[in-house]
Amino acid sequence: MAAVPASVVDPVASAIFAHYKAKYGVEAQRPYLGASAIGKPCLRQHWYSFRWAKQPEFSGRLYRVFQSGHLQEPRVYADLRAIGCDVYSVNPATNKQFGWSEPSTGHHFRGNTDGIVTGLPQAPKAPHILEIKTASDKYFREMQKSGVKQAKPEHWAQMQSYMHWSIVEFGEDGCKRAIYIVVNKDNDDIYTERLEYDAQAAQAIIDKALAIITAAEPPVGISTDPTWYECKFCDYHSICHGTDVPAPTCRSCAHITPKLDGDGAWSCHVHAGQVSDNIQRDGCSQHRYIPILLAKTAKPVDIDGDAVVYQMADGRQFINGDPKVNSRHFASSEIHAIKDKTFLLDEEVMKFRVEFDGRIV
């Protein structure tokens, strides 16, 4: 029998990770501002996420990690039931996961909890919001030492939001407590922490969400230093600290506005009406970047019909417009595609575009 050949790359693992990448890597960005992330400190990061500035890129291995976290949920439900708790993983009234949205934000701020639990040994009567997480041993020990509010403020804010919304929906039967359950991925240890509802903090979280949603331009970021640790690992680092520009979806366009009187609706001033999520993802030929999104490249100096004239530091200009109307105009998709923005000023590139009705992709 021939010896099994050695391989630098594991073909089985690679194929599995490729499967996860193919299955989950095409998931669309969620259309709302999520309660699960609102506790993160950088307002600009939230704004870029809400405005679909960039599709986050994860490896197949990381997508598998995310799914491993979800696999713990039914196990924890079973564990809680085994010790005498009543676990409601879905809302009995709708037979769907408990989910809420904030009316004051036009329902653009929302989230879904893992459930509601009663019968906890230390509080048998009080209903608790249930939030289940997994963590590496390092972060698990940090949680044990510092508690969720300090170790994972986004999870604390998430549970405060859910407690608030449950009280709004159920009144006195709502949850004024939450139970945070973390499973150690390295040794299966379990950490639990009970939280109290903080009405003032919950309102501050809602106010923060509203400020992000209604901001016409990116808010101030957490740091102007590209090497700052919270910036280095941010999905939007190349946009915030570099010359990349957001994807040309409707949400980076100057013509669109999130509505505060609808169910997560957006209004387009060009098309005079609401624009669905699917249409927003594709954008249209009338897309014009919110000018500040090109600030690292150039500044707006004039309007040419429905096009915007930009000027670079050396005085040369390019125009963000519809090439079908004027072949010397650059569509937003072209500006996004060009990594070296000086190509926007290259006359050879322009001649090729004009002569062959070409587009930069």
Side-chain angles (χ1 to χ4, degrees), residues 274-334:
Q274 293 187 17
V275 186
S276 70
D277 293 341
N278 289 336
I279 292 175
Q280 288 176 41
R281 297 185 193 283
D282 295 330
C284 76
S285 62
Q286 299 301 309
H287 184 285
R288 302 294 177 265
Y289 272 114
I290 298 170
I292 199 171
L293 297 180
L294 301 183
K296 296 289 183 70
T297 296
K299 63 179 180 180
V301 294
D302 200 2
I303 300 293
D304 181 9
D306 67 348
V308 182
V309 182
Y310 286 87
Q311 183 171 295
M312 289 192 174
D314 62 4
R316 291 183 293 171
Q317 298 178 343
F318 66 91
I319 301 176
N320 179 202
D322 186 351
K324 292 180 180 179
V325 175
N326 186 322
S327 59
R328 294 188 66 83
H329 291 182
F330 285 96
S332 294
S333 59
E334 294 182 282

Side-chain angles (χ1 to χ4, degrees), residues 8-9 27 32 64 66 116 188 193 262 286 292 299 301 321 354:
V8 175
V9 177
E27 289 183 349
Y32 55 86
R64 190 172 188 276
F66 300 153
I116 292 177
D188 234 25
E193 181 178 343
Q286 299 301 309
I292 199 171
K299 63 179 180 180
V301 294
V354 172

Side-chain angles (χ1 to χ4, degrees), residues 326-329 347-359:
N326 186 322
S327 59
R328 294 188 66 83
H329 291 182
E347 274 303 315
E348 291 302 316
V349 172
M350 182 61 74
K351 287 178 183 178
F352 188 86
R353 289 176 70 255
V354 172
E355 182 177 353
F356 296 101
D357 193 28
R359 302 289 182 269

Side-chain angles (χ1 to χ4, degrees), residues 88-137:
Y88 303 91
S89 57
V90 296
N91 188 336
T94 63
N95 203 33
K96 295 180 180 179
Q97 187 177 15
F98 284 96
W100 295 285
S101 59
E102 177 53 43
S104 68
T105 68
H107 300 280
H108 289 286
F109 177 47
R110 59 181 64 190
N112 301 284
T113 187
D114 292 328
I116 292 177
V117 59
T118 60
L120 291 171
Q122 64 272 59
K125 294 183 179 180
H128 286 62
I129 289 292
L130 172 62
E131 200 57 38
I132 303 166
K133 305 293 186 184
T134 61
S136 66
D137 187 59

Side-chain angles (χ1 to χ4, degrees), residues 14-29:
S14 297
I16 291 173
F17 293 149
H19 158 73
Y20 276 89
K21 178 76 171 178
K23 183 174 181 178
Y24 299 104
V26 296
E27 289 183 349
Q29 293 158 290

Side-chain angles (χ1 to χ4, degrees), residues 125-264:
K125 294 183 179 180
H128 286 62
I129 289 292
L130 172 62
E131 200 57 38
I132 303 166
K133 305 293 186 184
T134 61
S136 66
D137 187 59
K138 174 184 176 181
Y139 288 106
F140 186 88
R141 286 186 279 109
E142 183 179 343
M143 194 75 63
Q144 289 177 312
K145 177 182 177 182
S146 305
V148 62
K149 187 174 183 179
Q150 182 174 331
K152 278 290 183 180
E154 61 266 38
H155 295 169
W156 184 86
Q158 180 182 12
M159 288 180 282
Q160 289 295 337
S161 300
Y162 295 158
M163 284 188 279
H164 175 82
W165 286 327
S166 77
I167 292 168
V168 170
E169 179 175 357
F170 302 119
E172 287 301 313
D173 293 327
C175 299
K176 300 180 181 66
R177 299 288 185 272
I179 179 76
Y180 183 59
I181 300 180
V182 184
V183 178
N184 188 317
K185 290 188 286 189
D186 295 347
N187 58 26
D188 234 25
D189 198 0
I190 296 174
Y191 171 81
T192 71
E193 181 178 343
R194 293 175 65 224
L195 280 70
E196 293 186 23
Y197 173 56
D198 185 330
Q200 186 175 356
Q203 187 58 53
I205 291 165
I206 292 170
D207 292 343
K208 176 183 178 180
L210 181 62
I212 294 162
I213 290 162
T214 57
E217 297 180 344
V220 174
I222 194 171
S223 176
T224 57
D225 180 1
T227 65
W228 179 249
Y229 77 100
E230 287 172 297
C231 294
K232 283 197 299 183
F233 302 105
C234 176
D235 292 327
Y236 309 104
H237 184 278
S238 63
I239 296 173
C240 190
H241 296 287
T243 58
D244 282 0
V245 297
T249 69
C250 287
R251 296 198 179 186
S252 61
C253 179
H255 299 312
I256 200 168
T257 306
K259 298 184 67 174
L260 298 184
D261 59 353
D263 188 10

